Each structure stands twice: as C-alpha cells, then as structure tokens.
Amino acid sequence: MNFLSFFEDLSWLEWIVFSLAANTFLYFFSIGLYLFIDKTCPKNKIQTTDHPLLKSDLYLSLLTLFLNSVVMLIGVYLWRSGWISLNESKTTLALLVEIILLTLVMDLLMYIFHYLAHHAFIYKILHRKHHEHTSTNFLSLFVLHPFETLGFGLMIIFVVMLHDFSVFSITVYLFINLIWGTIGHLNREFFPKWTEKLFLGTTKFHNQHHLNEHKNFGFYTSVWDRIFGTYKS
C-alpha cells in the first residue's frame, strides 16, 4: 500500500482527528520518557529540586499541544496545495543524509530564533514564561508562549518547503526533536561526559541556559554557541 496515498484520501475531519491524536500521543510520550529516565537514571539531580508543577503550566502545555496540531494541519494544507512535495522512494543513504541535513539546518535556525527571543523586548512578550523554569520538570518542554510554538512549527514547514524530503525523514527528525527536547529538559544529565567533545547539546548544556539566560542558545548541538561566543560548559 502506498503510504502517501492513504493520507491523500483522508478527509479534513479525519486529518483534524489524526493531528490531535498524533500530537496527544507525542505529548504523553514525552512526559512518559521524562518520568522513566528520571526514575531510572542513577545520576544525581543537576539542580537540587525540580520546578514545581503549576496548574497554569499544565494549561499552557495543553495549548502547545493544540497549536502543534494546528501546525500539522497547516503543513497538510500546503502539501495538498502543492507547496510542499513529499516522497517515499529514496534510498537508505538518502534518508540518512536528509535527516542529518534537517537536523543541522534546524539547529542553526533554532539558535537564531532562540537568540532573538532573548532580545529584551521580545523576551518580555515571548520567552519569559519558559524561563520561569530555572529548574525543570516534565512539562517544561511544552511551557511556551503560543507565538514560540507557532514560530518553531512554521520554521520546520519553511525548511520542508525548500526540498522534496521523504515523509520518513521528516518523521524521524520530528521524533529526534521531541526526544532531544525531552532529554534537554531533564534535571539529571542523560549523556555521558565524553559526548561534550562531540559538541552535542547535552542535558547539562541546556540546563545551564535555564540558569544563565545569555548562554547556550543551541538545541541539538553546541556548535553555534562555540562559534558565536555564547557557550558555557
């Protein structure tokens, strides 16, 4: 069965249900992964206590879930309108190259987006709520201003519009993004210390950003912070 043909035949109501179901699954997958690692990881906490679980954060995280569903539907509309081209016939090597390319390009764009979000005026409007989590908890990844959520989603859509990526490459990248974001907001270092030599954006790397807002703007890697002088070990 042709994978894309199945989705081409879905009605808009079916797409809405699918988008909400998929993003709800990813939301709870992230929370479950966070709690599993937190309970099983033998390492000490990076900070003494986790950020308290607030009702306002729960509501905001659910709004993020909803907006992620909206972004998916925007992507579907652009795909159906011919603005986005997808395929499923590439070689394993081509898929691997696409995944690496998507990750590196998005890493640079997210660094820029994140750096700009810390401009004093933009920070007060967009990013301050996320940084109320000086320590983190299992909702921290989803505690975002709505414009941040939409901005990140639209960045992905923009990059996908530039090339006829495989639907499988995009799916793998989105899982990498979710898992990396979840691990990045743990309060225990998930990565072995030697991974810092690979310039990876480790848990400690992002935790430092929550403590010092002017350092470590990267996400998947620390490359751009090292290049532009915003790195803190």
Side-chain angles (χ1 to χ4, degrees):
M1 179 179 179
N2 186 287
F3 186 77
L4 287 176
S5 294
F6 170 80
F7 285 100
E8 286 172 349
D9 294 334
L10 294 183
S11 68
W12 272 111
L13 178 59
E14 289 171 325
W15 265 115
I16 291 170
V17 172
F18 175 80
S19 181
L20 287 170
N23 281 283
T24 299
F25 167 78
L26 294 174
Y27 176 82
F28 285 108
F29 176 83
S30 173
I31 291 173
L33 179 63
Y34 183 107
L35 294 174
F36 175 77
I37 296 174
D38 187 58
K39 294 297 184 183
T40 59
C41 182
K43 296 181 181 179
N44 294 328
K45 288 183 178 291
I46 299 173
Q47 298 188 48
T48 307
T49 58
D50 296 340
H51 187 79
L53 183 60
L54 304 176
K55 191 176 292 186
S56 61
D57 288 344
L58 175 61
Y59 294 151
L60 187 55
S61 73
L62 293 174
L63 177 58
T64 298
L65 186 163
F66 172 75
L67 291 175
N68 283 336
S69 302
V70 171
V71 168
M72 177 181 282
L73 293 173
I74 293 172
V76 171
Y77 173 79
L78 293 171
W79 170 52
R80 287 188 157 188
S81 301
W83 288 92
I84 292 176
S85 297
L86 300 175
N87 70 75
E88 50 182 315
S89 59
K90 295 187 176 179
T91 65
T92 302
L93 178 60
L95 293 176
L96 182 60
V97 170
E98 283 190 350
I99 293 166
I100 294 172
L101 179 64
L102 271 172
T103 304
L104 292 179
V105 170
M106 285 302 302
D107 194 43
L108 174 59
L109 292 179
M110 289 165 69
Y111 175 89
I112 296 170
F113 183 78
H114 195 181
Y115 184 85
L116 292 175
H118 278 265
H119 184 279
F121 175 72
I122 300 175
Y123 180 82
K124 290 178 183 178
I125 299 173
L126 283 186
H127 202 48
R128 180 167 55 187
K129 180 63 178 176
H130 185 68
H131 272 281
E132 289 179 3
H133 289 221
T134 50
S135 61
T136 54
N137 62 33
F138 58 82
L139 289 180
S140 296
L141 175 62
F142 299 96
V143 178
L144 300 170
H145 190 283
F147 286 168
E148 282 187 288
T149 303
L150 292 173
F152 173 67
L154 293 176
M155 270 198 304
I156 295 177
I157 288 175
F158 171 74
V159 172
V160 169
M161 289 174 67
L162 299 177
H163 176 71
D164 62 331
F165 287 97
S166 165
V167 65
F168 301 120
S169 301
I170 296 170
T171 301
V172 171
Y173 163 73
L174 291 174
F175 264 103
I176 290 173
N177 175 70
L178 180 74
I179 292 169
W180 212 276
T182 302
I183 291 172
H185 287 88
L186 288 167
N187 195 16
R188 302 178 192 272
E189 178 56 88
F190 175 81
F191 294 91
K193 188 170 180 58
W194 58 265
T195 56
E196 293 180 12
K197 298 178 182 179
L198 301 178
F199 301 155
L200 293 180
T202 63
T203 307
K204 179 185 174 184
F205 170 81
H206 190 70
N207 198 277
Q208 285 289 340
H209 174 69
H210 278 261
L211 290 171
N212 186 340
E213 300 171 5
H214 304 292
K215 299 292 182 180
N216 296 4
F217 297 102
F219 196 67
Y220 311 116
T221 77
S222 62
V223 170
W224 309 112
D225 288 284
R226 294 173 188 270
I227 289 174
F228 296 116
T230 54
Y231 176 72
K232 179 176 175 60
S233 61

